[in-house]
Each structure stands twice: as structure tokens, then as C-alpha cells.
Amino acid sequence: LGKITVQVPPTIRPGDTTAVLQVEQGQNTSLVCAASGIPSPNITWTKSDGGFLPVGVAQYRSPVLPMHLVSVEHMGVYRCVADNNIKPPAEHLAQVLVFHKPSTRVVQNSVGQAQNRRFDARLECIAKGHPEPTVTWERLINRGRAPITDDDKYDINKQTTDNQNLKDGEQWYTLKVKNVQANDFTDYYCIATNSKG
């Protein structure tokens, strides 16, 4: 009498596996990676950017990845790999989004340009927040601030291509001041707003 075991490569069960997790700061939660295969696969978690997981290590072996006191630093894409030594291993990506008020940073805090020569000046701002913030621009006029609209003088854009310089959740915005004149030399403000602040 003999026993035959049919080896089956791993597969991730989508309905039982976390795809997108939206969570408030300070909460406790977890990511779940459910897989099947023969023999039963081992599950390993890593973070796609190579950083540490919320449990304080770069790799964690378990179907469930616990997340205690979630913070903005926990945002990102997490990878779970199911492996039972039968090729190929199965892989799944889960995104963690943490609700938080926006933050901004500038690419350069000062931009120079000659006046009256049909030259443009380009100001750049990187904003982060969840939900994704609405970004507006203002300029300093006579000690007050005036809103800037997309028109013949200003070109407001959200970049979609330059992702290698951005961290998780960040978006790159630009304000182009066309045909720079003397009265364009002032302070400009990049303002990001969402439901959290």
C-alpha cells in the first residue's frame, strides 16, 4: 500500500487576504495573507520600500502581520509571499493608508529668474495626506495673501511621472509663473487641505 501526495504550488486566496487597509492613527489592526497549497505554504511579510515592518523587523513570518498603534510611518505597500518549495511562490501586495492631516515640503525654497525676457519661473511643492489633499497656491501681496488661479499668467499642475523622488503617499505639484515681471517677485504659498486638517 502506498500513499501519493500531489504537490500543489501556493495560491493566495483574494477574499481572505487584505488588499487595501484604511486606518486611523493610534488604532491596532493587522494585515492578513491567506494562502493554500500542498504542503501548506509559509507566509513571509516585507515592506516594498525595504523598510522595517511595524513589528520592528524587515521580515516577518506569519499569515497575520500585527500593527499596533498605527502611525503615518506605517503607510505604504506591504508584500506577502507564500512559499512551500513548489515553484512558483505566490505573491500579494497590500496597501496601508493612514488617515492624517496634510504636510508639505518644497523642492527648492527659492527660485530665481530674469524679468521682462519672456522667461518662466517654476515653483514645486510636495504634499502628503490621507485622504489625498486638495492643493491650492497663494502669493503675498501688500502683506496679505491672494489666491492664484490657473490662467494666462499661472499654470498649476500635478505631476504624475516623477515617482522615484516621492515617498509613500506623496504627490508633486508645480506652479509655473509665465513671463516673469518685476511684480512677480514675492513669496508664494503651497497649501494642502483635506478632511483631517
Side-chain angles (χ1 to χ4, degrees):
L1 183 66
K3 181 181 178 185
I4 295 177
T5 301
V6 179
Q7 296 181 321
V8 179
T11 54
I12 306 284
R13 296 197 308 272
D16 302 322
T17 299
T18 309
V20 178
L21 178 67
Q22 298 190 75
V23 62
E24 296 284 350
Q25 291 187 74
Q27 284 188 333
N28 295 330
T29 187
S30 57
L31 294 174
V32 178
C33 186
S36 55
I38 302 172
S40 187
N42 291 315
I43 310 283
T44 306
W45 288 94
T46 56
K47 207 164 177 210
S48 287
D49 63 5
F52 280 118
L53 297 166
V55 290
V57 293
Q59 258 190 9
Y60 186 74
R61 182 174 277 191
S62 171
V64 177
L65 175 64
M67 303 178 79
H68 298 293
L69 300 174
V70 171
S71 70
V72 177
E73 289 73 39
H74 294 146
M75 273 183 71
V77 177
Y78 292 76
R79 175 182 282 116
C80 78
V81 176
D83 191 1
N84 64 357
N85 291 324
I86 312 300
K87 302 290 183 194
E91 191 175 297
H92 174 79
L93 298 178
Q95 185 175 24
V96 174
L97 299 167
V98 181
F99 290 103
H100 63 286
K101 68 179 187 176
S103 60
T104 57
R105 62 184 176 98
V106 292
V107 178
Q108 291 174 247
N109 61 5
S110 175
V111 175
Q113 187 55 277
Q115 62 180 352
N116 302 324
R117 294 196 188 162
R118 298 190 180 276
F119 291 148
D120 299 334
R122 185 179 164 112
L123 304 169
E124 296 170 303
C125 166
I126 294 172
K128 178 178 181 173
H130 185 70
E132 184 179 319
T134 300
V135 171
T136 56
W137 293 83
E138 293 181 357
R139 57 172 291 188
L140 191 64
I141 298 178
N142 302 329
R143 295 192 201 132
R145 282 160 53 165
I148 293 173
T149 55
D150 205 349
D151 55 22
D152 293 343
K153 181 65 183 172
Y154 301 104
D155 192 7
I156 299 170
N157 273 305
K158 175 182 169 185
Q159 302 292 334
T160 55
T161 52
D162 193 346
N163 289 327
Q164 72 254 23
N165 294 317
L166 299 178
K167 297 172 188 158
D168 279 318
E170 288 185 332
Q171 302 290 335
W172 193 307
Y173 297 86
T174 61
L175 169 67
K176 182 162 75 173
V177 183
K178 303 175 194 171
N179 190 14
V180 172
Q181 306 295 315
N183 62 356
D184 293 323
F185 292 96
T186 186
D187 289 336
Y188 292 79
Y189 298 86
C190 168
I191 302 153
T193 313
N194 70 5
S195 58
K196 293 292 177 181

